[in-house]
């Protein structure tokens, strides 16, 4: 089987501002068709690292490699719209020059086609996130970068959004880099977890990371509670090194 395409790779990436190291020698790789979830507490440097990966801010040392011509769809953490500005979803999504048929197709993919004529200010948290995800899809991305995609969404809506993201990566064959400080639900919808707290504490398949001493020390009782919730439904098995084996007859799924 051929090796998966590497879309983005950071090697020993550091971001320093003033006398403060925000991200220290981080390694991170995203392949096509893979969901990589970056987790960590508030202030861990997650958004800083992602902004450096996207070229939105400079890094001080290390190496960043992108697939040539890589198309990235970015979903920001928050949408700041002046409440006095009358802006419909259709007009908002057309700001980048997208045509109506592309807009309606993207909204349909995210289950938000009925919001086309709605004003942005009238949307719920879940509806806003689906519109922002549709905006990211308008670039026909090879890589989706989603910064806290379920922020402001209730628990049921969070589960639905993570399921949708999982479906989109299979449908589009794109890689997904997902940033979150939550542990539940995230673990069941990802292939690789990168735990960041200024530096990369640990990374690997969720079943490996959730028993890593660095992870347990960082998240404490929250980690233990969420390990119990973690179930990873997949059509492959992992050996002791975390390598994938798609013939899983002799390898029951992790629970």
């Amino acid at each position: 089987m051929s090796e998966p395409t590497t879309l983005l790779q950071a090697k020993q990436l550091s971001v320093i501002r003033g006398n403060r190291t925000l991200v220290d020698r981080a390694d991170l790789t995203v392949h096509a068709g893979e969901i990589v979830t970056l987790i960590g507490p508030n202030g861990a440097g997650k958004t800083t690292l992602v902004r450096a990966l996207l070229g939105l801010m400079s890094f001080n040392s290390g190496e960043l490699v992108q697939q040539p011509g890589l198309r990235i769809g970015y979903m920001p953490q928050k949408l700041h719209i002046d409440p006095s500005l009358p802006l419909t979803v259709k007009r908002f999504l057309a700001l980048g020059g997208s045509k109506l048929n592309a807009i309606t197709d993207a909204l349909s993919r995210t289950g938000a086609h009925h919001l086309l004529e709605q004003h942005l200010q009238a949307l719920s948290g879940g509806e806003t996130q689906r519109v922002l995800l549709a905006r990211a899809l308008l670039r026909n991305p090879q890589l989706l970068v989603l910064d806290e995609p379920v922020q402001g969404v209730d628990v049921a809506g969070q589960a639905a959004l993570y399921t949708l993201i999982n479906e989109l990566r299979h449908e589009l064959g794109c890689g997904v880099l997902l940033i979150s400080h939550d542990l539940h639900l995230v673990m069941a919808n990802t292939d690789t977890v990168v735990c960041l707290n200024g530096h990369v504490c640990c990374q690997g398949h969720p079943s490996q990371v959730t028993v890593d001493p660095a992870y347990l020390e960082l998240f404490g009782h929250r980690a233990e509670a969420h390990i119990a919730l973690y179930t990873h439904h997949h059509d492959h098995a992992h050996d002791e090194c975390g390598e994938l084996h798609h013939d899983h007859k002799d390898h029951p799924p992790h629970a």
Side-chain angles (χ1 to χ4, degrees):
M1 188 168 65
S2 60
E3 290 292 319
T5 302
T6 300
L7 301 176
L8 182 72
Q9 185 172 36
K11 302 176 182 178
Q12 297 288 287
L13 208 69
S14 293
V15 179
I16 303 169
R17 293 296 180 267
N19 60 356
R20 185 182 174 199
T21 300
L22 304 179
V23 176
D24 185 24
R25 294 170 291 177
D27 292 325
L28 185 149
T29 302
V30 185
H31 298 105
E34 175 187 36
I35 296 180
V36 175
T37 301
L38 184 60
I39 65 170
N42 290 331
K46 301 185 299 294
T47 296
T48 296
L49 175 57
V50 169
R51 287 178 61 82
L53 295 175
L54 295 176
L56 299 176
M57 66 185 301
S58 60
F59 56 91
N60 297 79
S61 63
E63 183 181 1
L64 177 61
V65 180
Q66 279 189 14
Q67 183 188 55
L70 181 66
R71 297 188 306 276
I72 299 175
Y74 175 54
M75 180 176 170
Q77 187 175 129
K78 293 180 180 178
L79 176 64
H80 299 284
I81 298 291
D82 189 326
S84 65
L85 185 66
L87 190 64
T88 64
V89 169
K90 180 168 69 174
R91 289 186 62 192
F92 170 66
L93 294 180
L95 290 175
S98 297
K99 302 299 183 183
L100 182 58
N101 61 340
I103 290 171
T104 55
D105 181 56
L107 286 172
S108 294
R109 277 179 166 175
T110 63
H113 58 281
H114 59 292
L115 302 174
L116 184 66
E117 301 294 345
Q118 294 291 316
H119 285 269
L120 284 176
Q121 294 85 346
L123 302 183
S124 68
E127 289 171 339
T128 299
Q129 297 307 89
R130 286 176 182 269
V131 168
L132 288 176
L133 182 54
R135 180 172 174 263
L137 293 180
L138 286 171
R139 292 184 55 82
N140 190 25
Q142 297 163 300
L143 174 64
L144 271 174
V145 179
L146 313 176
D147 193 350
E148 301 281 6
V150 299
Q151 182 167 278
V153 182
D154 61 28
V155 174
Q158 290 177 21
L161 272 169
Y162 281 128
T163 298
L164 173 61
I165 291 165
N166 193 36
E167 291 171 351
L168 286 170
R169 66 88 171 250
H170 288 300
E171 178 186 337
L172 303 175
C174 63
V176 177
L177 176 58
L178 193 152
I179 303 91
S180 180
H181 68 270
D182 296 314
L183 306 182
H184 73 295
L185 297 177
V186 170
M187 290 298 190
N189 290 277
T190 192
D191 301 299
T192 300
V193 177
V194 179
C195 185
L196 186 75
N197 191 23
H199 65 284
V200 174
C201 305
C202 54
Q203 64 177 300
H205 184 266
S207 63
Q208 297 171 305
V209 169
T210 51
V211 296
D212 191 289
Y215 172 86
L216 295 172
E217 181 180 356
L218 185 60
F219 290 104
H221 294 300
R222 287 182 61 212
E224 294 174 7
H226 286 113
I227 289 169
L229 293 175
Y230 164 61
T231 55
H232 186 65
H233 303 289
H234 51 349
D235 59 356
H236 54 266
H238 299 261
D239 64 19
E240 294 178 354
C241 298
E243 295 297 319
L244 298 183
H245 292 278
H246 290 273
D247 182 6
H248 60 284
K249 293 178 182 178
D250 299 321
H251 301 270
H254 295 285

